[in-house]
């Protein structure tokens, strides 16, 4: 199947008992067994649920993988990956990384003995010399959050395979519509399903997809043993959401591209971060490994005033000021205090994430209204 067909049909079948075309919400905590150990594939809802099974199969299909595993949030999915390792194991990650991932690594797993090496994006391109005998995984995020840097997935996974090192790619910003890391050699793909996959700002969820049977077995064990599973209502909402993923992503990309060009030409705007702009350092690579440039644009005002940046965000009307991204509505976020609030300020500044950076999740509204909103907000003195 091509992508649009998979988004609508993969992993789901009409309900066998009623013929319902939409997957039912199996709102149950347990399942009746005919005899001890004799059941219909389901025992207890923490371990599995038919609504969740349908979603997991659909997500695996969208990423061209064999196994999908859903979790209560994107960070719960990341937590499961990190539980694959033991004290002393080293994990390499970009320094420009989602603040919640950084916080989980540094404040939860580092005290438990895992070793994290956060490196500059340029160094990641020379991954071979960064690996050590203790390196067990390279965690990638591309495009990165919120500076939208692009990492060469195929290059890094090739080197890691030569050293028997796992790679996991956070594919949240791209979504399966724009990028499929498993096809580029990654071992695991992680999604904050909350974002583009759900697409309607009405659920929180995470997912892991892999084609490795052994890895899948380990991750499913962690899912069941740790219990960070999503409820069937949330699974139903995401099953509904992914049916329009391809259409939504097309509009997100179209609108974001126009917003980026408009911002780059605005006299009061300084730096614009968007891989679709020809002068973006990762533009050529993004064009090679992605099928579009995404719906997120970050920018700084020319005067670099924190007060002006705050006023701009406060005066936006079409854009709602809040955490998250990927919904049909346009959202504006202040990474320094929101998505990256858990990262020490000195670390943020070191990677170029200023207090004045504004991140836009460009929605699917009429682009003329989006641009008019930005124009009036940026123009306020």
């Amino acid at each position: 199947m091509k992508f649009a067909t998979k988004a609508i049909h993969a992993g789901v079948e009409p309900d066998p008992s009623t013929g319902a075309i939409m997957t039912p919400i199996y709102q149950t905590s347990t399942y009746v067994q005919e005899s001890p150990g004799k059941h219909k594939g389901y025992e207890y809802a923490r371990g599995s649920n038919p609504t969740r099974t349908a979603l997991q199969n659909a997500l695996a299909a969208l990423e061209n993988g064999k196994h999908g595993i859903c979790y209560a949030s994107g960070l719960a999915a990341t937590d499961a990956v990190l539980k694959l390792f033991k004290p002393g194991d080293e994990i390499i990650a970009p320094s420009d990384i989602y603040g919640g991932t950084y916080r989980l690594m540094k404040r939860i797993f580092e005290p438990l003995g895992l070793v994290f090496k956060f490196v500059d994006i340029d160094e990641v391109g020379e991954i071979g010399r960064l690996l050590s005998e203790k390196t067990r995984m390279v965690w990638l995020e591309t495009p990165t959050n919120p500076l939208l840097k692009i990492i060469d997935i195929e290059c890094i996974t090739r080197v890691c395979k030569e050293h028997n090192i796992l790679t996991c790619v956070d594919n949240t910003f791209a979504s399966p519509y724009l990028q499929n890391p498993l096809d580029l050699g990654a071992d695991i793909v992680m999604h904050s399903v909350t974002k583009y996959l759900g697409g309607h700002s009405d659920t929180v969820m995470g997912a892991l997809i892999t084609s490795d049977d052994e890895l899948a077995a380990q991750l499913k064990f962690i899912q069941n043993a740790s219990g960070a599973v999503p409820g069937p209502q949330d699974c139903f909402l995401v099953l509904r959401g992914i049916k329009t993923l391809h259409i939504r992503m097309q509009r997100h990309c179209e609108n974001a591209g126009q917003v980026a060009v408009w911002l780059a030409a605005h006299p009061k705007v300084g730096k614009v971060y968007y891989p679709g702009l020809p002068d973006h350092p990762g533009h050529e690579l993004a064009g090679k490994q992605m099928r579009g440039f995404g719906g997120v644009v970050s920018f700084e005002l020319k005067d670099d005033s924190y007060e002006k940046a705050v006023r701009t965000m406060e005066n936006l009307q079409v854009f709602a000021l809040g955490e998250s991204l990927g919904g049909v509505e346009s959202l504006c976020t202040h990474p320094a205090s929101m998505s990256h609030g858990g990262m020490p300020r000195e670390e943020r500044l070191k990677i170029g994430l200023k207090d004045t950076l504004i991140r836009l999740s460009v929605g699917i509204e009429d682009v003329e209204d989006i641009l008019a909103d930005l124009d009036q907000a940026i123009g306020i003195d």
Side-chain angles (χ1 to χ4, degrees):
M1 293 181 184
K2 293 190 180 297
F3 191 90
T5 311
K6 283 198 292 186
I8 294 169
H9 294 288
V12 298
E13 297 177 359
D15 177 50
S17 61
T18 66
I21 196 166
M22 293 300 294
T23 304
I25 302 171
Y26 287 90
Q27 194 71 54
T28 183
S29 61
T30 193
Y31 308 85
V32 175
Q33 302 187 22
E34 296 179 34
S35 182
K38 186 178 181 182
H39 51 77
K40 298 177 181 178
Y42 296 92
E43 303 173 72
Y44 185 64
R46 172 170 33 80
S48 55
N49 174 282
T51 315
R52 190 164 86 229
T53 297
L55 175 59
Q56 292 178 154
N57 291 341
L59 294 178
L62 292 182
E63 281 289 8
N64 300 327
K66 288 175 62 179
H67 308 280
I69 308 105
C70 288
Y71 298 84
S73 69
L75 280 171
T78 303
D79 176 85
V81 174
L82 297 176
K83 284 175 178 171
L84 294 170
F85 306 102
K86 63 182 186 300
D89 288 348
E90 179 184 84
I91 295 163
I92 295 174
S95 52
D96 173 28
I97 196 171
Y98 167 50
T101 305
Y102 177 91
R103 179 181 58 212
L104 180 65
M105 291 177 171
K106 290 289 290 182
R107 298 187 62 180
I108 302 296
F109 281 93
E110 192 170 77
L112 296 177
L114 296 191
V115 178
F116 296 95
K117 185 187 292 183
F118 296 96
V119 299
D120 185 75
I121 194 73
D122 296 327
E123 293 183 282
V124 173
E126 304 167 4
I127 194 68
R129 68 180 182 82
L130 293 168
L131 304 177
S132 74
E133 60 181 17
K134 294 183 178 180
T135 307
R136 297 292 177 267
M137 183 179 74
V138 174
W139 177 277
L140 302 177
E141 183 179 286
T142 179
T144 60
N145 179 8
L147 298 178
L148 299 162
K149 295 179 180 178
I150 305 297
I151 302 173
D152 193 329
I153 299 172
E154 191 169 25
C155 170
I156 291 176
T157 57
R158 183 171 60 249
V159 175
C160 288
K161 285 185 186 302
E162 293 172 358
H163 294 81
N164 199 30
I165 292 169
L166 291 175
T167 51
C168 181
V169 179
D170 182 340
N171 201 32
T172 299
F173 269 34
S175 87
Y177 179 73
L178 298 180
Q179 181 172 269
N180 298 118
L182 295 181
D183 292 348
L184 298 172
D187 297 293
I188 307 171
V189 174
M190 194 286 289
H191 280 282
S192 175
V193 178
T194 310
K195 312 306 192 296
Y196 288 111
L197 286 167
H200 292 79
S201 303
D202 54 10
T203 187
V204 173
M205 193 186 299
L208 301 173
I209 299 97
T210 183
S211 290
D212 186 300
D213 295 340
E214 184 178 343
L215 264 178
Q218 290 178 277
L219 292 167
K220 287 177 181 177
F221 173 81
I222 292 170
Q223 179 199 47
N224 182 49
S226 298
V229 296
Q233 173 75 26
D234 288 336
C235 292
F236 174 86
L237 290 172
V238 177
L239 278 167
R240 180 202 62 180
I242 61 176
K243 289 180 183 293
T244 57
L245 176 63
H246 55 296
I247 298 174
R248 290 186 285 105
M249 290 307 300
Q250 289 170 10
R251 180 59 66 86
H252 283 301
C253 292
E254 291 169 5
N255 284 358
Q258 292 187 61
V259 166
V261 170
W262 184 90
L263 286 170
H266 197 287
K268 292 188 177 182
V269 172
K271 194 166 185 178
V272 179
Y273 302 84
Y274 185 66
L277 293 175
D279 61 352
H280 186 283
H283 177 70
E284 185 176 346
L285 176 58
K288 175 185 173 185
Q289 72 182 17
M290 299 173 69
R291 293 180 286 272
F293 299 108
V296 178
V297 181
S298 296
F299 72 100
E300 300 158 4
L301 296 172
K302 189 165 287 184
D303 62 8
D304 200 26
S305 161
Y306 175 74
E307 291 74 19
K308 181 60 187 296
V310 169
R311 281 201 303 276
T312 297
M313 289 183 278
E314 288 176 342
N315 284 287
L316 287 166
Q317 296 173 6
V318 173
F319 283 88
L321 178 60
E323 298 204 36
S324 199
L325 60 105
V328 292
E329 62 286 313
S330 290
L331 282 171
C332 170
T333 295
H334 181 235
S337 65
M338 293 180 178
S339 62
H340 289 66
M343 182 179 285
R345 185 171 185 270
E346 59 273 17
E347 293 298 320
R348 285 193 288 101
L349 295 177
K350 192 184 301 181
I351 64 173
L353 202 171
K354 296 181 179 180
D355 291 338
T356 52
L357 184 78
I358 298 171
R359 190 192 75 192
L360 304 176
S361 173
V362 182
I364 64 173
E365 302 95 342
D366 286 304
V367 72
E368 292 84 2
D369 293 326
I370 292 173
L371 296 177
D373 189 35
L374 288 167
D375 193 33
Q376 64 82 24
I378 293 172
I380 293 174
D381 291 320

